[in-house]
Amino acid sequence: MVKQENTAIPIGGSEVVGGKELYNINHKGYYGEFGGAYIPEMLFPNVEELRQNYLKIMAEPDFRSEFDQLLKDYVGRPSPLYFAKLLSEKYQTKIYLKREDLNHTGAHKINNTIGQILMAKRLGKKRIIAETGAGQHGVATATVCALMGLECIVYMGEIDIARQAPNVARMKMLGATVIPALSGSRTLKDATNEAIRDWINNPIDTHYIIGSVVGPHPYPDMVARFQSVVSEEIQWQLQEKEGKLKPDYIVACVGGGSNAAGAYYHFLEDTDVKLIAVEAAGLGVHSGESAATSILGKEGIIHGSKTLLMQTNDGQIIEPYSISAGLDYPGVGPMHAHLYKTGRAEFIAVTDDQAMKAGMALCKLEGIIPAIESSHALAIFEQKKFNADDVVVVSLSGRGDKDLNTYINYFKL
Ligand SMILES: *Cc1c(COP(=O)(O)O)cnc(C)c1O
């Protein structure tokens, strides 16, 4: 077996550092009390195959060099760490933007799909399935399947297919088959159910690419490690620009939690670095139209892991709402549930209106049109005061091209 120290992909976890990690995953697949793998028996062989192999495969030098090469030449990494001068002047603190919006396909999601497609190939899989809500993860998956010449099937709710026509077209152009989920509310959770059903029926040749730090162990950990390239870059980029390896704050929006997990990863155990997680409050946290999962959520099981989710007293999932399609998920990944429960991260809720204004402000001040998800992270500067010498890194998770219609309708452009 290859020595794990040779890889730059973090190998964290308490099996490595002897149980000292308080906030990262433990060897049983839990973050504190959250995580685990709560799956139907029929899925056990697939998930177990992945669990037994993922760290070993990630530690292989061949795997790492192929991953690094693609991140560099195909995705365009490293993404810049940009000092936002005018934004910093406006809020009287030092604000850096981690420009995941400049990645190929326009967001951080490609970091994970590149990692998982290489994992699938190493496991000998021939067929890729995924679920998608707004279509962003579907596009990132269809992209890497085209790149690797693998068959790609994307499950998507019938309602979402109608709402997200440009992304459906992109997936088709990239060679994917988009299958409508016709049951239930015909949105993301129904698409997820269809994908799981497919995986149960095709256990040998199929890999299921999950798009965030959610799902049964080892998915949350695997996705966090692939996304951790973001915090790895932040370290050396800050060293170059500020002469220090760590910021005072890292801010990221949270849907399932993958861009936040990537931006936090190398700083999780270093409590000098304060973590801020921004959730979508929709029309207001207590309006009944919100996606502020950690604040409103209760412990429960969704998509195979124990976490916080929005549910009624008898355990029915409450449909989330946010103006941002990438944030309206009724749960949150188990890492984030743990960060919330332990107080390691501060959770701030931002409404549709606050996010839209912050997004527009960034356009005017810095010439950058952000994804509405990322605009939620930017909105905290109106709520929270920072010191003049604080270094605040904001994960700019994606670009706003996909959201133009929402911006047009909201601002009557
Ligand atoms: C999907 C998406 C998100 C939310 O997903 P996380 O897993 O929480 O990062 C945030 N920003 C953008 C641009 C997205 O596409």
Short mmCIF file of all heavy atoms in Angstrom, two decimals, residues 100-101 105-109 134 136-137 211-214 223 227 252-261 324-328 332 336 370-374 395-399 402-403, ligand 1:
data_model
loop_
_atom_site.label_atom_id
_atom_site.label_comp_id
_atom_site.label_asym_id
_atom_site.label_seq_id
_atom_site.Cartn_x
_atom_site.Cartn_y
_atom_site.Cartn_z
N GLU A 100 -14.01 30.88 -6.90
CA GLU A 100 -14.49 29.62 -7.49
C GLU A 100 -15.40 29.87 -8.69
O GLU A 100 -15.65 28.98 -9.50
CB GLU A 100 -15.20 28.77 -6.44
CG GLU A 100 -14.29 28.29 -5.31
CD GLU A 100 -13.12 27.45 -5.82
OE1 GLU A 100 -13.36 26.37 -6.38
OE2 GLU A 100 -11.96 27.89 -5.67
N ASP A 101 -15.89 31.11 -8.80
CA ASP A 101 -16.73 31.45 -9.95
C ASP A 101 -15.96 31.39 -11.26
O ASP A 101 -16.56 31.30 -12.33
CB ASP A 101 -17.33 32.86 -9.76
CG ASP A 101 -16.25 33.94 -9.65
OD1 ASP A 101 -15.26 33.74 -8.91
OD2 ASP A 101 -16.38 34.99 -10.33
N THR A 105 -17.14 25.61 -15.88
CA THR A 105 -18.55 25.37 -15.53
C THR A 105 -19.07 26.32 -14.45
O THR A 105 -20.21 26.22 -14.03
CB THR A 105 -18.91 23.89 -15.18
OG1 THR A 105 -18.33 23.54 -13.93
CG2 THR A 105 -18.46 22.92 -16.25
N GLY A 106 -18.23 27.23 -13.97
CA GLY A 106 -18.76 28.38 -13.23
C GLY A 106 -18.97 28.25 -11.74
O GLY A 106 -19.59 29.13 -11.14
N ALA A 107 -18.48 27.19 -11.13
CA ALA A 107 -18.66 27.06 -9.68
C ALA A 107 -17.68 26.03 -9.13
O ALA A 107 -16.89 25.43 -9.87
CB ALA A 107 -20.10 26.64 -9.36
N HIS A 108 -17.76 25.85 -7.82
CA HIS A 108 -16.87 24.90 -7.13
C HIS A 108 -17.23 23.45 -7.40
O HIS A 108 -16.44 22.56 -7.14
CB HIS A 108 -16.94 25.15 -5.62
CG HIS A 108 -18.29 24.84 -5.05
ND1 HIS A 108 -19.41 25.60 -5.34
CD2 HIS A 108 -18.73 23.83 -4.27
CE1 HIS A 108 -20.45 25.07 -4.73
NE2 HIS A 108 -20.09 24.00 -4.07
N LYS A 109 -18.43 23.17 -7.91
CA LYS A 109 -18.92 21.79 -7.98
C LYS A 109 -18.00 20.88 -8.83
O LYS A 109 -17.91 19.69 -8.58
CB LYS A 109 -20.34 21.76 -8.55
CG LYS A 109 -21.36 22.27 -7.54
CD LYS A 109 -22.77 21.91 -7.95
CE LYS A 109 -23.76 22.20 -6.84
NZ LYS A 109 -24.02 23.66 -6.70
N ALA A 134 -31.35 22.25 -9.36
CA ALA A 134 -31.30 23.37 -10.30
C ALA A 134 -30.54 23.01 -11.57
O ALA A 134 -30.60 23.73 -12.56
CB ALA A 134 -30.66 24.57 -9.64
N GLN A 136 -27.11 22.47 -11.68
CA GLN A 136 -25.68 22.80 -11.63
C GLN A 136 -24.82 21.54 -11.43
O GLN A 136 -23.81 21.36 -12.09
CB GLN A 136 -25.39 23.80 -10.51
CG GLN A 136 -25.99 25.17 -10.74
CD GLN A 136 -25.53 25.79 -12.03
OE1 GLN A 136 -26.27 25.92 -12.98
NE2 GLN A 136 -24.26 26.18 -12.07
N HIS A 137 -25.23 20.70 -10.49
CA HIS A 137 -24.47 19.47 -10.28
C HIS A 137 -24.61 18.52 -11.47
O HIS A 137 -23.66 17.83 -11.84
CB HIS A 137 -24.92 18.78 -8.98
CG HIS A 137 -24.29 17.44 -8.77
ND1 HIS A 137 -22.93 17.26 -8.74
CD2 HIS A 137 -24.83 16.19 -8.61
CE1 HIS A 137 -22.65 15.97 -8.57
NE2 HIS A 137 -23.78 15.31 -8.49
N GLY A 211 -23.46 15.37 -5.12
CA GLY A 211 -22.93 16.70 -5.43
C GLY A 211 -22.58 17.58 -4.26
O GLY A 211 -22.11 18.70 -4.46
N SER A 212 -22.79 17.12 -3.03
CA SER A 212 -22.41 17.96 -1.90
C SER A 212 -21.94 17.07 -0.75
O SER A 212 -21.85 15.84 -0.93
CB SER A 212 -23.59 18.84 -1.47
OG SER A 212 -23.16 19.79 -0.50
N VAL A 213 -21.63 17.67 0.40
CA VAL A 213 -21.12 16.88 1.52
C VAL A 213 -22.29 16.26 2.29
O VAL A 213 -22.43 16.44 3.50
CB VAL A 213 -20.22 17.73 2.46
CG1 VAL A 213 -18.87 17.96 1.82
CG2 VAL A 213 -20.88 19.07 2.80
N VAL A 214 -23.12 15.54 1.55
CA VAL A 214 -24.30 14.89 2.12
C VAL A 214 -24.27 13.42 1.70
O VAL A 214 -23.38 13.00 0.97
CB VAL A 214 -25.60 15.57 1.62
CG1 VAL A 214 -25.62 17.04 2.00
CG2 VAL A 214 -25.74 15.44 0.10
N VAL A 223 -16.24 14.01 -0.47
CA VAL A 223 -16.51 15.28 -1.16
C VAL A 223 -15.74 16.42 -0.48
O VAL A 223 -15.14 17.27 -1.15
CB VAL A 223 -18.03 15.57 -1.21
CG1 VAL A 223 -18.30 16.93 -1.84
CG2 VAL A 223 -18.75 14.46 -1.98
N GLN A 227 -12.99 18.88 -2.25
CA GLN A 227 -13.16 20.34 -2.23
C GLN A 227 -12.08 21.03 -1.42
O GLN A 227 -11.91 22.26 -1.52
CB GLN A 227 -14.55 20.71 -1.66
CG GLN A 227 -15.73 20.33 -2.56
CD GLN A 227 -15.81 21.15 -3.84
OE1 GLN A 227 -15.01 22.06 -4.07
NE2 GLN A 227 -16.79 20.84 -4.68
N ALA A 252 -18.79 31.35 4.08
CA ALA A 252 -19.30 30.62 2.92
C ALA A 252 -20.79 30.38 3.08
O ALA A 252 -21.28 30.21 4.20
CB ALA A 252 -18.57 29.29 2.76
N CYS A 253 -21.49 30.37 1.95
CA CYS A 253 -22.89 29.99 1.98
C CYS A 253 -22.99 28.47 2.12
O CYS A 253 -22.06 27.74 1.79
CB CYS A 253 -23.61 30.45 0.72
SG CYS A 253 -23.05 29.64 -0.80
N VAL A 254 -24.13 28.01 2.65
CA VAL A 254 -24.32 26.59 2.89
C VAL A 254 -25.65 26.13 2.32
O VAL A 254 -26.72 26.57 2.75
CB VAL A 254 -24.28 26.26 4.40
CG1 VAL A 254 -24.62 24.80 4.63
CG2 VAL A 254 -22.91 26.58 4.97
N GLY A 255 -25.57 25.23 1.31
CA GLY A 255 -26.75 24.51 0.85
C GLY A 255 -26.65 23.14 1.49
O GLY A 255 -27.15 22.89 2.58
N GLY A 256 -25.94 22.23 0.83
CA GLY A 256 -25.54 20.97 1.47
C GLY A 256 -24.27 21.19 2.29
O GLY A 256 -24.05 20.55 3.30
N GLY A 257 -23.43 22.12 1.79
CA GLY A 257 -22.25 22.50 2.56
C GLY A 257 -20.91 22.25 1.90
O GLY A 257 -19.88 22.36 2.56
N SER A 258 -20.86 21.96 0.58
CA SER A 258 -19.57 21.55 0.02
C SER A 258 -18.60 22.70 -0.23
O SER A 258 -17.40 22.55 -0.02
CB SER A 258 -19.75 20.72 -1.24
OG SER A 258 -20.27 21.48 -2.31
N ASN A 259 -19.10 23.88 -0.67
CA ASN A 259 -18.13 24.96 -0.86
C ASN A 259 -17.61 25.43 0.48
O ASN A 259 -16.43 25.77 0.62
CB ASN A 259 -18.69 26.08 -1.77
CG ASN A 259 -19.48 27.15 -1.04
OD1 ASN A 259 -18.93 28.15 -0.59
ND2 ASN A 259 -20.78 26.94 -0.89
N ALA A 260 -18.48 25.42 1.49
CA ALA A 260 -18.03 25.79 2.85
C ALA A 260 -17.03 24.76 3.37
O ALA A 260 -15.97 25.12 3.89
CB ALA A 260 -19.24 25.89 3.79
N ALA A 261 -17.33 23.48 3.20
CA ALA A 261 -16.41 22.44 3.70
C ALA A 261 -15.04 22.60 3.04
O ALA A 261 -14.01 22.46 3.71
CB ALA A 261 -16.98 21.05 3.41
N SER A 324 -32.55 31.26 -4.17
CA SER A 324 -31.40 30.62 -4.77
C SER A 324 -31.59 29.11 -4.82
O SER A 324 -31.69 28.45 -3.79
CB SER A 324 -30.17 30.96 -3.93
OG SER A 324 -29.19 30.00 -4.16
N ALA A 325 -31.61 28.58 -6.04
CA ALA A 325 -31.91 27.15 -6.20
C ALA A 325 -30.87 26.27 -5.53
O ALA A 325 -31.17 25.17 -5.07
CB ALA A 325 -31.98 26.82 -7.69
N GLY A 326 -29.63 26.74 -5.44
CA GLY A 326 -28.58 25.91 -4.86
C GLY A 326 -28.64 25.83 -3.34
O GLY A 326 -27.93 25.03 -2.74
N LEU A 327 -29.46 26.66 -2.72
CA LEU A 327 -29.51 26.66 -1.25
C LEU A 327 -30.79 26.07 -0.70
O LEU A 327 -30.92 25.93 0.52
CB LEU A 327 -29.32 28.09 -0.70
CG LEU A 327 -28.00 28.78 -1.07
CD1 LEU A 327 -27.92 30.16 -0.41
CD2 LEU A 327 -26.79 27.95 -0.68
N ASP A 328 -31.76 25.73 -1.56
CA ASP A 328 -33.02 25.26 -0.97
C ASP A 328 -33.03 23.74 -0.80
O ASP A 328 -33.74 23.00 -1.45
CB ASP A 328 -34.26 25.79 -1.70
CG ASP A 328 -34.42 25.24 -3.10
OD1 ASP A 328 -33.49 24.58 -3.58
OD2 ASP A 328 -35.48 25.46 -3.69
N VAL A 332 -28.68 19.65 5.89
CA VAL A 332 -27.35 20.23 5.77
C VAL A 332 -26.41 19.05 6.00
O VAL A 332 -26.79 18.06 6.64
CB VAL A 332 -27.19 21.37 6.80
CG1 VAL A 332 -27.21 20.84 8.22
CG2 VAL A 332 -25.95 22.18 6.56
N HIS A 336 -21.55 20.11 8.94
CA HIS A 336 -22.11 21.42 9.32
C HIS A 336 -23.05 21.31 10.50
O HIS A 336 -23.11 22.21 11.33
CB HIS A 336 -22.77 22.06 8.11
CG HIS A 336 -21.81 22.27 6.99
ND1 HIS A 336 -20.90 23.29 6.99
CD2 HIS A 336 -21.53 21.53 5.89
CE1 HIS A 336 -20.13 23.20 5.91
NE2 HIS A 336 -20.50 22.14 5.22
N PRO A 370 -22.02 37.76 -9.08
CA PRO A 370 -21.94 36.50 -8.34
C PRO A 370 -23.19 35.65 -8.50
O PRO A 370 -24.28 36.15 -8.78
CB PRO A 370 -21.83 36.98 -6.89
CG PRO A 370 -22.61 38.26 -6.86
CD PRO A 370 -22.47 38.88 -8.23
N ALA A 371 -23.04 34.34 -8.31
CA ALA A 371 -24.20 33.46 -8.17
C ALA A 371 -25.00 33.94 -6.96
O ALA A 371 -24.44 34.49 -6.01
CB ALA A 371 -23.74 32.02 -7.94
N ILE A 372 -26.31 33.72 -7.00
CA ILE A 372 -27.14 34.21 -5.88
C ILE A 372 -26.80 33.44 -4.59
O ILE A 372 -26.88 34.00 -3.50
CB ILE A 372 -28.64 34.11 -6.23
CG1 ILE A 372 -28.91 35.02 -7.44
CG2 ILE A 372 -29.50 34.56 -5.06
CD1 ILE A 372 -30.32 34.92 -7.96
N GLU A 373 -26.36 32.20 -4.73
CA GLU A 373 -25.88 31.47 -3.55
C GLU A 373 -24.77 32.26 -2.88
O GLU A 373 -24.81 32.55 -1.67
CB GLU A 373 -25.34 30.08 -3.95
CG GLU A 373 -26.38 29.08 -4.42
CD GLU A 373 -26.66 29.20 -5.92
OE1 GLU A 373 -26.17 30.16 -6.56
OE2 GLU A 373 -27.38 28.33 -6.46
N SER A 374 -23.76 32.62 -3.67
CA SER A 374 -22.61 33.34 -3.14
C SER A 374 -23.00 34.72 -2.60
O SER A 374 -22.38 35.23 -1.65
CB SER A 374 -21.55 33.52 -4.22
OG SER A 374 -21.43 32.36 -5.02
N SER A 395 -15.91 32.76 0.34
CA SER A 395 -15.98 31.81 -0.76
C SER A 395 -16.98 32.31 -1.79
O SER A 395 -18.19 32.33 -1.55
CB SER A 395 -16.42 30.43 -0.21
OG SER A 395 -16.73 29.57 -1.29
N LEU A 396 -16.45 32.76 -2.93
CA LEU A 396 -17.35 33.17 -4.02
C LEU A 396 -17.60 31.91 -4.85
O LEU A 396 -16.91 31.65 -5.83
CB LEU A 396 -16.69 34.29 -4.84
CG LEU A 396 -17.69 35.12 -5.64
CD1 LEU A 396 -18.50 36.01 -4.71
CD2 LEU A 396 -17.00 35.97 -6.69
N SER A 397 -18.62 31.15 -4.43
CA SER A 397 -18.77 29.78 -4.90
C SER A 397 -19.10 29.66 -6.39
O SER A 397 -18.79 28.65 -7.02
CB SER A 397 -19.83 29.05 -4.07
OG SER A 397 -21.05 29.79 -4.07
N GLY A 398 -19.74 30.69 -6.96
CA GLY A 398 -20.11 30.56 -8.37
C GLY A 398 -20.43 31.89 -9.03
O GLY A 398 -20.60 32.90 -8.36
N ARG A 399 -20.51 31.84 -10.36
CA ARG A 399 -20.82 33.07 -11.10
C ARG A 399 -22.31 33.18 -11.37
O ARG A 399 -23.05 32.19 -11.32
CB ARG A 399 -20.00 33.11 -12.39
CG ARG A 399 -20.39 32.09 -13.43
CD ARG A 399 -19.55 32.27 -14.71
NE ARG A 399 -18.25 31.61 -14.60
CZ ARG A 399 -17.78 30.72 -15.50
NH1 ARG A 399 -18.48 30.40 -16.57
NH2 ARG A 399 -16.61 30.15 -15.32
N LYS A 402 -25.97 31.98 -14.61
CA LYS A 402 -27.12 31.09 -14.52
C LYS A 402 -28.31 31.77 -13.84
O LYS A 402 -29.44 31.30 -13.96
CB LYS A 402 -26.74 29.83 -13.72
CG LYS A 402 -26.46 30.14 -12.25
CD LYS A 402 -26.02 28.93 -11.46
CE LYS A 402 -25.71 29.26 -10.01
NZ LYS A 402 -26.84 29.77 -9.24
N ASP A 403 -28.04 32.86 -13.12
CA ASP A 403 -29.09 33.53 -12.34
C ASP A 403 -29.61 34.80 -12.99
O ASP A 403 -30.36 35.56 -12.37
CB ASP A 403 -28.56 33.88 -10.94
CG ASP A 403 -28.20 32.63 -10.15
OD1 ASP A 403 -28.98 31.65 -10.23
OD2 ASP A 403 -27.17 32.64 -9.46
C1 LIG B 1 -24.69 24.21 -5.58
C2 LIG B 1 -24.16 25.52 -5.21
C3 LIG B 1 -24.06 25.95 -3.86
C4 LIG B 1 -24.57 25.13 -2.72
O1 LIG B 1 -23.97 23.91 -2.53
P1 LIG B 1 -22.92 23.62 -1.36
O2 LIG B 1 -22.74 22.15 -1.41
O3 LIG B 1 -23.53 24.09 -0.08
O4 LIG B 1 -21.69 24.37 -1.66
C5 LIG B 1 -23.49 27.18 -3.60
N1 LIG B 1 -23.06 27.99 -4.59
C6 LIG B 1 -23.13 27.63 -5.89
C7 LIG B 1 -22.63 28.57 -6.92
C8 LIG B 1 -23.68 26.40 -6.24
O5 LIG B 1 -23.77 26.06 -7.54
#
